[in-house]
Structure formats: C-alpha cells, structure tokens
Amino acid sequence: MYRDLTRGSILRSLLLFALPMLAGDILQQLYNIADTLIVSHAIGRDALALTVRGEDGRAPRGALHDTVLRRTGAADARGIVEFTYHGASKAEVAALAAEVLRLAAQGDAQSAAILHREAEELRIMVSAFARELAIVQPRVALMGGLLAEENIYRETVCAALSGTAQPVHPMHDALWGAAQLAFEALGE
C-alpha cells in the first residue's frame, strides 16, 4: 500500500507514522525494566542469601558480605531478614546486583560464583527452549537490562552459552523495528 504523505490530514499521517515507533520504544523500555528487575533481583537475592550464610558461619565473610551489610543498613543476619521481608522493594534488592558485578569484576570469587549460577540458569532455559523448538545451536540476542552492555555478567553468560547457543548482538534496536513497521504500514 502506498500512502502519499503530502495529501490529506498531516496529523493523521504523522500519527500513523509515529505510533508504531512510540509503541516499540515503550515496549522496549518495559522489557528492559522487567528484564533488569528479574535478573538483577535474582542476583541481589543471591547476594542477600550469601550474606546470611556468612553471618551464620555457612560461608566465609568477604567483600560481598561487608558490602551487602553496608548497603542494606543491616548489622547482622536478623537485619538482612528484616530488610528482605519487611522493608525492601524488589528494586532495592535488584540494586544489589550492581555491587555483585562490581566486586566480580574486581576478582571477588563469591560474587563471580553468583554470576556463574545465574548464567547457568539462563543456559538451562535456552537449552530447554531450543530442545522444545528443535533448534540446534540457536542464535540468542543478549539485550536489555544487565546484558545490554559489555560487563562481567555478559561475559559470563556468553561463556555459559558456549556450545549451547550462539550469542549475537542485535542488528538494530526496537525503535528501528518499529520504524520499519511504520514504513510498511504507509506502503513504503
């Protein structure tokens, strides 16, 4: 379908052109927020659990332990439990992921182990989907949240996926895809 943008209502033409891009951008932002909260929350939750294990002697106390206590304002395991179940939002727990990434990049073994566990969970999920869809060595676009930029978590995920899937960088972002849809809707 061909649509002459020089004829008819300018407002209607602009809206028809812009709505898919706006919708794509909003959906991309919602995806990034959800992805960040889910993955970051899991990493933050693991950091809290490790801190409690350090407090009761089941794990050594290290840099992550001290950082989590400082960031949560807790003095001991009871404070961590109080923070986790009675005070912290999911976003506050997810915010601990940045500390885990920072410490893992500095060589902290406990923080690196958390990232390895989360990367392995992602590998298992990709393997299950690939098996279900009968896809061998699927290409997986790592985007959004903690995977949007080069960091130690992205490196860990790529290493975990090695042999299972082929991590790829998306050629374009969601806004580009929305623009393509708009052009198609206008018949270009």
Side-chain angles (χ1 to χ4, degrees):
M1 176 182 137
Y2 175 76
R3 181 166 175 86
D4 186 351
L5 295 177
T6 63
R7 298 189 188 275
S9 168
I10 293 172
L11 182 59
R12 177 176 164 75
S13 294
L14 285 174
L15 286 175
L16 285 173
F17 183 78
L19 284 177
M21 288 190 295
L22 289 172
D25 196 39
I26 290 169
L27 289 173
Q28 182 66 46
Q29 292 304 318
L30 289 173
Y31 168 81
N32 285 344
I33 291 167
D35 180 60
T36 299
L37 283 177
I38 292 167
V39 174
S40 296
H41 186 268
I43 291 171
R45 181 197 60 221
D46 287 354
L48 289 167
L50 181 65
T51 303
V52 170
R53 292 180 71 219
E55 282 294 307
D56 65 19
R58 292 180 290 147
R61 294 179 181 187
L64 183 60
H65 173 272
D66 298 339
T67 300
V68 169
L69 287 178
R70 187 180 71 255
R71 286 290 306 267
T72 60
D76 54 19
R78 180 169 287 161
I80 293 292
V81 171
E82 184 69 27
F83 171 84
T84 303
Y85 295 105
H86 302 293
S89 67
K90 287 190 177 197
E92 289 171 311
V93 173
L96 294 172
E99 297 293 344
V100 175
L101 267 67
R102 181 182 63 79
L103 291 169
Q106 293 174 356
D108 181 64
Q110 291 178 318
S111 298
I114 289 172
L115 298 184
H116 283 283
R117 274 194 306 276
E118 292 302 325
E120 179 61 14
E121 284 299 316
L122 184 57
R123 186 201 63 77
I124 291 168
M125 183 177 68
V126 168
S127 294
F129 281 121
R131 199 171 37 256
E132 185 68 27
L133 298 171
I135 301 172
V136 177
Q137 195 76 14
R139 293 174 32 164
V140 177
L142 302 179
M143 55 189 288
L146 296 177
L147 295 171
E149 56 192 49
E150 295 297 328
N151 59 43
I152 191 163
Y153 181 59
R154 185 182 178 93
E155 293 169 15
T156 305
V157 168
C158 287
L161 289 174
S162 177
T164 301
Q166 178 188 2
V168 297
H169 287 279
M171 291 177 64
H172 304 285
D173 65 7
L175 185 57
W176 187 89
Q180 284 297 108
L181 289 174
F183 281 123
E184 289 173 15
L186 292 172
E188 295 291 314

